[in-house]
Amino acid sequence: MLEHIEIVKPEDIEKRSMEIITSELNGRTWPDPEFAIVKRCIHTSADFDYADNLCFSENAARIGMEAIRRGASIVTDTRMAWSGINKKKLASFGGEAYCFMSDEDVAAEAKERGVTRAAICMERGAALPGEVIFAIGNAPTALIRLYEMIEAGQLKPALIIGAPVGFVNVVESKELIMKAGVPYIVPRGRKGGSNIAATICNAMLYQL
């Protein structure tokens, strides 16, 4: 059995993976930096559907990268997404990653107002100074609250990465963000997740 196993040095595994992904895309390409994001999402998930469902507003990736270069914060809706972001690289540009989901006051306010903690977390993120990128990997209610604040003129995000995964209001919340008039990167449909949200952040970081 072992004779069928390709021997790859640990330091070459990612490079080899990217070569396989590029090969299996059968000549399909995107302009960079979008191409790097598409490949990294496939690399993270082993799911080639991301070649078809990833949607970018005009120059979204470059807009996000320039915001990071200027020291933008990144706000996530899950600790998993927060954990996956390369915070050392982000800090090298003066930025910081935030997730308010486990804050006691967030839970208390959400209970009092009868809304989700994710919605309150978006309000916390909107109150941060400077430019903010929102990376959503789980909660459609986070995207819905962002849309409401944008529509009310209370928020102008640098970029929204709208990648919640699941079945209830997932598709609809993504479609809202795609017509909100702000830069976005969205895997259309039901797919996504905290790992995808973090991957998109890192794909931008690694090109700076």
Side-chain angles (χ1 to χ4, degrees), residues 80-93:
M80 184 185 294
W82 178 88
S83 297
I85 293 168
N86 188 325
K87 288 173 283 295
K88 184 177 180 180
K89 181 81 170 174
L90 181 62
S92 72
F93 298 102

Side-chain angles (χ1 to χ4, degrees), residues 196-208:
I196 294 297
T199 291
I200 294 170
C201 292
N202 288 338
M204 292 189 295
L205 281 163
Y206 295 155
Q207 293 181 86
L208 291 170

